[in-house]
Structures are given as structure tokens and as C-alpha cells.
């Protein structure tokens, strides 16, 4: 598959001392991509360079075959951008704002109005689109920001902390929208420090820390199985530990037991031990690493 | 057996891609220009915001209507048509234009900074110079329209109430280029200066006050300097409030008006033109510097 984004040796320093990006190199395929890092990790700087709003000290960025350094305007016609902060004129209706921004993105006036209506409908603001934005809740403002990013049918949308300030329901709905964009053929780079959001939403992950690449790849490849199963015997973990004597098992606070395994024979042996001890087997689940584990492990490796 | 209703269907329209052509920088610039004009005129805004520009246009047109009305009432009674105001005097004489610029320029610039809209605008095919061109162009276009339309009312009205419309037209043919040129010069001056000053403020009232202070301070300074001297002095050229009117006089009369502060100053016309170019050029350069971070 052709690369959506190719970044090579990207470095950006502010005031000659603060290194926001440090020799960042990554290649990404089209899809829903999570850009993960703590606050100040360089995510926003990376977005600004993608949009051609900041020039890097060195390195190249190619979006959909176009070099940002050589043709930033050409790149911007392919991008949509949703900043983290409030950024919409509050004294205008969502329909007017999205339509205006669609026109500025290059849409003819009539098409801009039609697409503004379509994308506001898509993000769930169809009934509120003629209301002034100043009366919108945080969730509605986030949706309106997403709508303006989509209005010109971009190939790639850059979302900076799209779930910031949302309640659990709003966060769930926003992530659902982001997932849907992938099914519409729109690639997404979602910058966030919430690893759970990325794990449940993105098919690719890029992790950066202090401007340096920590890890990147397909989400399922990063979330490998750990070789540990968790056994739930309805709280009778102590009995299970006794039944598994000789195995390296650990009793957890919730009464379940984690047991290292190497293959199916080990699983059969655990099930047999539970049955022999007369314990109820409520669950036997293979433990997978989370993105937190990947981030922390690679971060620790980078520090050594 | 249950009858089905074939009309009761719900469709998920999903997402429809756009398969037309997208415009580039020129389309983006034009779209921002149109949006700024709409905003300044109160279009798609509340009735209060619509009221202000149109009331000002009406006020600016009053002298033309009065002039035409007096000419109509007194026609045939005197040998010459009575003129309360001349075309030259009508260019920029209305304070309404200055009030309009003082309130409109901040309104099209300041909210972009205050609401942090600039990252959205510049994530589109738009550069800093495009932004400056669209904003200054929008304010200048409206000031031109509001300065020119009353002149059209005056000219057409005078022509219709004159004894011979065709003769009036030929006798006053020179104003057909003098008026639009002088109004355009005035519009560019006010727009570039007002937008440049507004670009340093996030609050509209601060920007409006700053513009009026700059104009009034230079006006008062020039008055103090010229009053203190024994005669005409080149320092009168620092009067930024008066400068476009001196350029207007150059357009209409080919020289500085005899009753102007710069009258009698050697090279006064060139000096006034130089100040005009410095103010407009400096304002545009300041704006380009303010938005240089998105220049590509």
C-alpha cells in the first residue's frame, strides 16, 4: 500500500534550545492513526509542520506524495485540521462558519453550503446548525470543529486531542465518529495523550516522547500477547494457588490468578487443576499488553 | 396478513465524497474577502449588526439628497444651480466614513485573533499575504462603496434636476474619473491604516480607540506645530487625518488647496503624496509582518 505520510529525519528546535522534534522518522499507511505522547511531546509541532505553518530545521515530510516543504498549499488542499483549543467564531451559526471555511478551502459557494449541511448532519449537529456557536456545549463545539475539518472532503484529517473536555458519553461518540471516518476512506491522525482512546480507535500508532520516536506500527502488532492467562474462580484464588502448586502463579487483588503459559498443554493443565480442586471456572483469558505497557517499556528502553 | 408501508424507510446517507474541483489560493482569498464584506455589512448577523452600516450609509447620503433637493426647489430661479456641497468637498467630508472605518476594520480583524480562528484559516490554501489582501480589500471595498454611492446619488440627481441633463454631463465629465479615483485613494488609506492598527488588538473597542487616537494625536500635533510657526510649515504633513484630503485636492485641482495647512510649502503636494505612500506602504508592510508566520 502506498504511504500516506513519510517523515524523514524531522527536527525542529525553538529558540535554539527547546527541541520539539528530534530526528523523527516514520512511514504511515492510510487509516486511522494515533499520535501518542505526553503534553509537550511534540505532537502539535508535528501538526504545524504537516500544515506548512512551521518550517522544520531539517528533514522532510511528504503527504500523499507531496513534499510539504516544496508545496505547502498543495498539501493543505488535502488536509483537514481540528485544533485542540476553541477556534470557532462564536457569534455565527455552525452552518455559516462551516460553509465559510469550506469556501476558503476551495469549494464553490453552493457546494460549500451543501457540504456544510452534510457534514454537520454527519457529526450530529443537523438540528443545531442554525444556532449561534456561543450557545453550544463543549461536545457540540468539538463536533462543529470536526465538521469544519471535513467540509472540503480531505484525504487526511489532523485531530488534536478531539476528546479533550468531553464527558464519557461525548468521548465515546467522538471516538465512534473518528472510527467511522476511516470507513469513509478518510485517513485520520489523532493526537492524544489518552492511550485508551488510541487502543480502541486506531489501526496504527505512533508514539513520541520529547520529540523522539518511541514506537510505531499497527496497533494489533504492538498489542502482542504476553504469555500470561488470568483465571477467575469466583474469588477463590487462594484455593487455586494451592491447586497450581509448582507453577509460577500470582494472586491478584480481585481474587483472580495470573499464570504464565507457553502453549495449549499449559492451558489444559490449568483447566484440569481447577476441575480437580472442585473450583468454579468463571473465566480464562489471555492477557495482552496495553499501549501503556508498550509506551512505558519503550520509554524505559530509551532512557537506558 | 400485515400490510407494509413502502414509504416508511429510513436512509443512512453516510458520507458523500466531493468529486468537484477545489480552488486554490485565489479562491480562498476571494472567499475570505466575501466573508469579510458580509460580516462588515451585517449580512447573516443579527438586526443590530445590520442596522449600523446601513444607517451610516444613509447618513453619508443625506448631503447629496439635500443638495439635489435644494437644486430641484430652486431650479429656474437663479442663473446657476445652487451647490451646497461640491464633488471635491463630498469626498471624505463625511465623518460617517471615518466612524464606519473605525468600527468595521476592528470587526473584521479582531475576532479572528480573539476566537483563535487563524489556525483554521491558515490550515487552508491561504497565505499571510492572501489574508492581508482579503481583509484590507474588504474594508477598502466597503469604504469605497459607501463613499462613492452618495456621489452617484449627487451626480445623477444634479443631472436630472438640471435644465439640460446632457450639458450637465459634459460640463462635469472630469468628475467621472476624479471622484472614483479620489474615493479609492481615501478608501485604501483608511482601510490599510485601520486594519494595520486593528491587527495589534484582540478587542474591537481597543482597536477603534487606537485608530482614533492615532488620527487625532497627529492632527493635534500638526495644529500645534503650524500654529506655533510663523507661516506654513512642512510639519503640517504629519496630520494623518487630513492627508487623504490633500491627495483629494491634488486629484481635483492638481495642487494643494490654498486654504490647507500645507499651502505655501514648497513641494507640499509631493510631501503629502510621500506621507500617503509611507502610511499605506507602512501599514501594509506591518500587516505582512504580523502574518509572516504563515507566509510560504
Amino acid at each position: 500500500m502506498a504511504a500516506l505520510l513519510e517523515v524523514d529525519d524531522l527536527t525542529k528546535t525553538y529558540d535554539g534550545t527547546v527541541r520539539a522534534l528530534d530526528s523523527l522518522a516514520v512511514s504511515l499507511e492510510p487509516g486511522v492513526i494515533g499520535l501518542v505522547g505526553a503534553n509537550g511531546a511534540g505532537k502539535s509541532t508535528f501538526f504545524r509542520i504537516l500544515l506548512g505553518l512551521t518550517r522544520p530545521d531539517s528533514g522532510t515530510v511528504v503527504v500523499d506524495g507531496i513534499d510539504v516543504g516544496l508545496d505547502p498549499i498543495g498539501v493543505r488542499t488535502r488536509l483537514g485540521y481540528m485544533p485542540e483549543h476553541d477556534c470557532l467564531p462564536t457569534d455565527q451559526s455552525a452552518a455559516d462558519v462551516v460553509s465559510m471555511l469550506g469556501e476558503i478551502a476551495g469549494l464553490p459557494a453552493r457546494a460549500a453550503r451543501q457540504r456544510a449541511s452534510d457534514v454537520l448532519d454527519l457529526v450530529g449537529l443537523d438540528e443545531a446548525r442554525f444556532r449561534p456557536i456561543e450557545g453550544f456545549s463543549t461536545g457540540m463545539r468539538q463536533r462543529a470543529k470536526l465538521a469544519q475539518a471535513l467540509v472540503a472532503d480531505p484525504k487526511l484529517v489532523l485531530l488534536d486531542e478531539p476528546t479533550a473536555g468531553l464527558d464519557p458519553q461525548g468521548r465515546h461518540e467522538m471516538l465512534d465518529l473518528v472510527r467511522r471516518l476511516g470507513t469513509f476512506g478518510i485517513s485520520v491522525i489523532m493526537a492524544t495523550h489518552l492511550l485508551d482512546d488510541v487502543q480502541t480507535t486506531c489501526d496504527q500508532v505512533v508514539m513520541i516522547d520529547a520529540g523522539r520516536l518511541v514506537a510505531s506500527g499497527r496497533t494489533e502488532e504492538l498489542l502482542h500477547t504476553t504469555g500470561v492467562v488470568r483465571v477467575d474462580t469466583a474469588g477463590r484464588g487462594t484455593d487455586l494457588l494451592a491447586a497450581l502448586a509448582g507453577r509460577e502463579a500470582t494472586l491478584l487483588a480481585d481474587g483472580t490468578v495470573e499464570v504464565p503459559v507457553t502453549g495449549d498443554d499449559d492451558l489444559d493443565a490449568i483447566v484440569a487443576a481447577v476441575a480437580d480442586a472442585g473450583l468454579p471456572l468463571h473465566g480464562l483469558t489471555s492477557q495482552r499488553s496495553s499501549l501503556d505497557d508498550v509506551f512505558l517499556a519503550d520509554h524505559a528502553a530509551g532512557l537506558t | 396478513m400485515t400490510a407494509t408501508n413502502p414509504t416508511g424507510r429510513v436512509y443512512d446517507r453516510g458520507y458523500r465524497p466531493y468529486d468537484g474541483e477545489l480552488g486554490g489560493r485565489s479562491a480562498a482569498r476571494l472567499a475570505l474577502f466575501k466573508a469579510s464584506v458580509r460580516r462588515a455589512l451585517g449580512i447573516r448577523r443579527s438586526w443590530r449588526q445590520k442596522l449600523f452600516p446601513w444607517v451610516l450609509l444613509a447618513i453619508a447620503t443625506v448631503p447629496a439628497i439635500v443638495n439635489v433637493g435644494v437644486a430641484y426647489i430652486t431650479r429656474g430661479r437663479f442663473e446657476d444651480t445652487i451647490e451646497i456641497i461640491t464633488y471635491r468637498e463630498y469626498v471624505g467630508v463625511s465623518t460617517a466614513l471615518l466612524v464606519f472605518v473605525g468600527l468595521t476594520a476592528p470587526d473584521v480583524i479582531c475576532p479572528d485573533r480573539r476566537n483563535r480562528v487563524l489556525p483554521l484559516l491558515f490550515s487552508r490554501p491561504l497565505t499571510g499575504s492572501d489574508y492581508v489582501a482579503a481583509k484590507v480589500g474588504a474594508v477598502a471595498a466597503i469604504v469605497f462603496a459607501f463613499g462613492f454611492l452618495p456621489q452617484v446619488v449627487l451626480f445623477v440627481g444634479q443631472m436630472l434636476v438640471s435644465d439640460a441633463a446632457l450639458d450637465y454631463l459634459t460640463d462635469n465629465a472630469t468628475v467621472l474619473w476624479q471622484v472614483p479615483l479620489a474615493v479609492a485613494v481615501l478608501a485604501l488609506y483608511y482601510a490599510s491604516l485601520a486594519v494595520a492598527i486593528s491587527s495589534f488588538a484582540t478587542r474591537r473597542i481597543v482597536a477603534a480607540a487606537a485608530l482614533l487616537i492615532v488620527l487625532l494625536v497627529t492632527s493635534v500635533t500638526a495644529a500645534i506645530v503650524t500654529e506655533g510657526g510663523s507661516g506654513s510649515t512642512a510639519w503640517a504633513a504629519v496630520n494623518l487625518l487630513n492627508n487623504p484630503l490633500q491627495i483629494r485636492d491634488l486629484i481635483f485641482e492638481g495642487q494643494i488647496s490654498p486654504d490647507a495647512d500645507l499651502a505655501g510649502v514648497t513641494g507640499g503636494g509631493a510631501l503629502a503624496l510621500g506621507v500617503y505612500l509611507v502610511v499605506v506602504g507602512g501599514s501594509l508592510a506591518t500587516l505582512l509582518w504580523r502574518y509572516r508566520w504563515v507566509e510560504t
Side-chain angles (χ1 to χ4, degrees):
Chain A
M1 190 180 288
L4 169 76
L5 181 68
E6 292 199 66
V7 180
D8 185 33
D9 194 27
L10 195 66
T11 298
K12 175 67 184 177
T13 308
Y14 290 109
D15 300 327
T17 53
V18 181
R19 184 158 283 212
L21 293 174
D22 188 358
S23 303
L24 187 69
V26 68
S27 178
L28 298 168
E29 295 174 358
V32 180
I33 301 151
L35 177 62
V36 183
N39 293 330
K43 304 188 296 289
S44 295
T45 299
F46 183 60
F47 275 1
R48 290 182 59 79
I49 290 174
L50 276 181
L51 290 162
L53 300 179
T54 297
R55 289 193 184 91
D57 299 336
S58 63
T60 57
V61 180
V62 177
V63 180
D64 196 32
I66 302 175
D67 190 323
V68 175
L70 299 176
D71 185 9
I73 295 293
V75 169
R76 283 186 216 157
T77 59
R78 288 161 171 75
L79 295 182
Y81 175 47
M82 174 183 171
E84 179 184 4
H85 54 74
D86 271 344
C87 56
L88 299 174
T90 51
D91 59 348
Q92 293 176 260
S93 71
D96 282 345
V97 170
V98 175
S99 170
M100 175 193 74
L101 290 169
E103 273 195 75
I104 295 173
L107 291 171
R110 184 186 294 256
R113 281 194 296 275
Q114 179 60 53
R115 283 198 59 81
S117 175
D118 287 352
V119 292
L120 284 167
D121 188 24
L122 179 74
V123 301
L125 288 178
D126 47 334
E127 289 180 6
R129 65 179 185 267
F130 295 119
R131 282 168 42 194
I133 290 172
E134 63 194 350
F136 279 15
S137 66
T138 304
M140 293 166 78
R141 287 178 190 225
Q142 290 293 85
R143 287 163 184 266
K145 280 161 59 180
L146 179 59
Q148 65 77 30
L150 297 173
V151 67
D153 190 26
K155 283 204 158 193
L156 170 63
V157 187
L158 310 178
L159 310 180
D160 200 350
E161 303 282 1
T163 58
L166 298 181
D167 59 28
Q169 177 67 21
R171 178 168 161 250
H172 173 78
E173 289 170 357
M174 177 59 73
L175 292 177
D176 191 45
L177 268 171
V178 173
R179 265 191 296 271
R180 287 183 69 195
L181 295 183
T183 66
F184 300 147
I186 300 173
S187 292
V188 179
I189 299 182
M190 180 174 79
T192 181
H193 60 275
L194 300 173
L195 290 162
D196 281 353
D197 287 0
V198 173
Q199 193 164 328
T200 57
T201 309
C202 302
D203 46 39
Q204 295 171 76
V205 182
V206 176
M207 293 180 175
I208 58 176
D209 185 39
R212 285 174 296 179
L213 183 69
V214 173
S216 74
R218 303 199 68 80
T219 310
E220 70 266 22
E221 290 168 1
L222 292 171
L223 301 177
H224 54 82
T225 53
T226 57
V228 174
V229 293
R230 182 175 292 188
V231 189
D232 181 359
T233 50
R236 295 175 63 185
T238 311
D239 296 338
L240 180 59
L241 273 183
L244 294 173
R247 283 185 176 274
E248 189 185 328
T250 308
L251 177 64
L252 302 181
D254 62 357
T256 61
V257 173
E258 281 192 346
V259 189
V261 293
T262 55
D264 291 345
D265 290 345
D266 284 340
L267 293 174
D268 291 341
I270 291 169
V271 171
V274 169
D276 291 346
L279 300 172
L281 183 59
H282 283 200
L284 181 67
T285 50
S286 177
Q287 293 301 99
R288 291 167 65 87
S289 63
S290 68
L291 286 177
D292 298 75
D293 301 328
V294 176
F295 185 83
L296 291 172
D298 288 337
H299 177 71
L303 293 177
T304 55
Chain B
M1 190 173 172
T2 307
T4 57
N5 179 3
T7 61
R9 289 180 180 173
V10 175
Y11 293 94
D12 179 6
R13 288 188 294 169
Y15 179 82
R16 285 185 291 177
Y18 174 68
D19 51 11
E21 288 285 316
L22 284 176
R25 279 180 60 187
S26 57
R29 201 166 45 227
L30 179 62
L32 186 60
F33 169 84
K34 288 195 297 184
S36 303
V37 169
R38 279 198 299 266
R39 181 173 182 84
L41 296 179
I43 296 168
R44 298 185 192 169
R45 300 178 79 188
S46 71
W47 66 268
R48 269 174 292 191
Q49 283 145 336
K50 284 184 178 68
L51 195 64
F52 165 68
W54 301 110
V55 165
L56 279 183
L57 178 61
I59 291 171
T61 313
V62 165
I65 294 169
V66 170
N67 201 80
V68 172
V70 169
Y72 178 74
I73 292 167
T74 60
R75 67 176 177 168
R77 298 186 191 174
F78 304 99
E79 190 174 334
D80 294 325
T81 306
I82 290 179
E83 277 190 342
I84 296 172
I85 191 167
T86 64
Y87 294 106
R88 183 187 72 85
E89 291 165 344
Y90 205 9
V91 175
V93 78
S94 173
T95 325
L97 272 188
L98 192 56
V99 172
F100 181 76
V101 172
L103 295 178
T104 300
D107 192 44
V108 300
I109 283 282
C110 296
D112 287 351
R113 281 189 182 277
R114 189 168 186 184
N115 295 321
R116 303 170 80 184
V117 183
L118 292 177
L120 290 190
L121 296 176
F122 293 126
S123 66
R124 289 168 162 78
L126 194 79
T127 66
S129 55
D130 294 331
Y131 180 83
V132 171
K135 293 292 182 178
V136 173
V139 176
I142 299 168
V143 175
F144 177 83
F146 278 28
F148 187 62
L149 284 176
Q151 294 269 8
V152 172
V153 171
L154 179 63
F155 190 89
V156 172
Q158 294 278 64
M159 190 172 71
L160 292 178
V161 300
S162 67
D163 296 332
L166 197 59
D167 289 345
Y168 185 88
L169 180 66
T170 52
D171 291 347
N172 294 280
T174 51
V175 302
L176 294 179
W177 68 266
Q178 287 171 331
V179 166
L181 179 60
V183 174
V185 161
L186 181 91
L188 180 62
Y189 182 89
Y190 278 162
S192 53
L193 182 63
V195 173
I197 289 174
S198 302
S199 72
F200 287 92
T202 53
R203 296 183 65 87
R204 284 170 278 197
I205 189 70
V206 173
L211 174 67
L212 292 179
I213 286 170
V214 167
L215 293 176
L216 290 177
V217 164
T218 58
S219 175
V220 170
T221 304
I224 292 170
V225 172
T226 52
E227 286 294 319
S230 55
S232 295
T233 165
W235 281 105
V238 302
N239 185 346
L240 299 186
L241 187 61
N242 212 26
N243 178 268
L245 302 183
Q246 290 160 348
I247 304 301
R248 172 204 65 185
D249 291 342
L250 289 177
I251 292 168
F252 274 88
E253 299 173 351
Q255 61 181 8
I256 295 291
S257 177
D259 55 348
D261 292 338
L262 270 178
V265 174
T266 307
L271 186 59
L273 187 60
V275 170
Y276 177 88
L277 293 174
V278 166
V279 170
V280 172
S283 299
L284 295 177
T286 301
L287 282 166
L288 292 174
W289 173 78
R290 287 290 286 161
Y291 298 98
R292 71 194 181 286
W293 53 281
V294 285
E295 198 53 59
T296 55

